[in-house]
Amino acid sequence: MISGKTKLIAHLGYPTESFRAPMIYNPYFAKHDIDAVVMPMGCKSEDYAAFLKLVFRLSNIHGALVTMPHKITTMALLDETLTTARVAGSCNAIRLGADGALVGDQFDGEGFVRGALRKGVTLAGARVLVVGSGGVGSAIAASLAKAGVASLAVFDSFEPMMNALAMRLEQHYPDLTVTTGSKDPAGFDVVVNATPLGMKEGDPLPMDVGRIAPETFVGEVVMKQEITPFLAAVREKGCAFQVGTDMLFEQIPAYLEFFGFRTTTPDELREVARIA
């Protein structure tokens, strides 16, 4: 039940038809009598800068989830951005700070990291390859750097985006070894597909699976199907792996902590979620 005391979390993006977060957060809030609601708000790019400022003028606003196409635009509209958002170059969560300041962070990569750690993967000191330097790839790279990996290789076919990510990583994590320009997965402890390859039937694999060692942990971001062709190929080699939806459910506890709510486990979120 929504009342006059309900805390509003705006879910900002466009279009809203594919939003899944409300069907996860809201059943969880209801189960635990948390007086809050996640509300989809479709806002086009040309209206976003003005609308963001206005929505945070609401007396019952508590925070916002930010999704496409606004994650990058949001960065310039905040009063404070935390390190992971600065490295990622994008923001997907905003809360009200002291004196009404807008504070932003980025949790896409945190979801990937928490999922890997829950599966027993050692990230501290690991050698990692992230293929894809767009929004999700940059976020994963940022959180991997925060988790203490020893070296991080990033690759994207669009070199300016790849090089910009590498520069941000080097700026904020000077002890991290950062390399660019190769998607050869040989010799890595962890490899991640952070590209859209696998969304469409007939897509090529994002990297040469034949070069991935059986002991390598493999991550996927594509959520269209649980076992993508890439994951099917690495599973056949005996690799441990993480499916794309794990990243979604693993990041929500981090969001809850950011917003100051009761936290939970991904398992409980899967139980209460109203999505297929």
Side-chain angles (χ1 to χ4, degrees):
M1 176 65 68
I2 298 173
S3 74
K5 298 179 181 179
T6 302
K7 294 178 178 178
L8 174 63
I9 300 173
H11 192 182
L12 304 172
Y14 183 83
T16 63
E17 285 81 1
S18 63
F19 285 11
R20 290 190 263 185
M23 287 89 81
I24 304 173
Y25 284 90
N26 293 332
Y28 172 75
F29 290 155
K31 177 181 177 181
H32 293 285
D33 295 321
I34 298 170
D35 197 3
V37 63
V38 171
M39 177 62 67
M41 294 185 176
C43 182
K44 294 182 178 180
S45 297
E46 58 267 30
D47 301 319
Y48 180 67
F51 182 73
L52 181 66
K53 296 295 185 181
L54 288 173
V55 79
F56 273 94
R57 297 282 297 274
L58 296 173
S59 63
N60 60 336
I61 192 73
H62 186 74
L65 307 175
V66 181
T67 190
M68 296 301 291
H70 306 315
K71 292 183 182 182
I72 295 174
T73 308
T74 299
M75 293 291 288
L77 304 175
L78 301 173
D79 300 301
E80 180 184 353
T81 51
L82 302 185
T83 299
T84 302
R86 292 198 299 270
V87 177
S90 65
C91 166
N92 67 353
I94 308 169
R95 71 178 180 215
L96 280 172
D99 301 321
L102 300 187
V103 180
D105 207 350
Q106 167 59 263
F107 293 104
D108 285 336
E110 180 70 13
F112 180 88
V113 164
R114 289 191 182 204
L117 292 174
R118 271 168 51 89
K119 293 174 178 64
V121 179
T122 300
L123 292 177
R127 300 160 297 172
V128 184
L129 167 67
V130 178
V131 178
S133 299
V136 67
S138 294
I140 289 172
S143 291
L144 286 167
K146 180 183 176 183
V149 302
S151 65
L152 192 50
V154 295
F155 175 84
D156 199 282
S157 56
F158 184 54
E159 290 188 6
M161 188 161 59
M162 173 184 70
N163 293 334
L165 171 59
M167 287 179 63
R168 295 194 301 271
L169 287 165
E170 291 168 343
Q171 176 187 354
H172 291 280
Y173 294 95
D175 295 331
L176 176 67
T177 300
V178 181
T179 57
T180 62
S182 173
K183 61 176 180 176
D184 182 358
F188 290 97
D189 303 307
V190 178
V191 299
V192 184
N193 172 39
T195 76
L197 293 174
M199 288 284 291
K200 298 177 183 176
E201 189 174 346
D203 276 348
L205 296 180
M207 62 191 81
D208 184 355
V209 172
R211 299 278 290 169
I212 301 176
E215 60 270 20
T216 300
F217 180 77
V218 178
E220 172 70 280
V221 303
V222 173
M223 300 184 193
K224 185 176 182 181
Q225 54 186 322
E226 185 166 86
I227 303 300
T228 61
F230 177 55
L231 289 185
V234 299
R235 181 174 63 180
E236 204 164 296
K237 296 197 68 170
C239 296
F241 60 85
Q242 178 162 280
V243 301
T245 53
D246 281 356
M247 189 173 69
L248 172 65
F249 284 96
E250 290 280 357
Q251 69 183 277
I252 292 177
Y255 275 114
L256 292 170
E257 294 156 18
F258 178 73
F259 289 131
F261 292 125
R262 176 191 185 279
T263 193
T264 185
T265 65
D267 292 335
E268 183 182 22
L269 292 169
R270 287 181 183 276
E271 288 174 7
V272 302
R274 301 286 181 87
I275 59 175

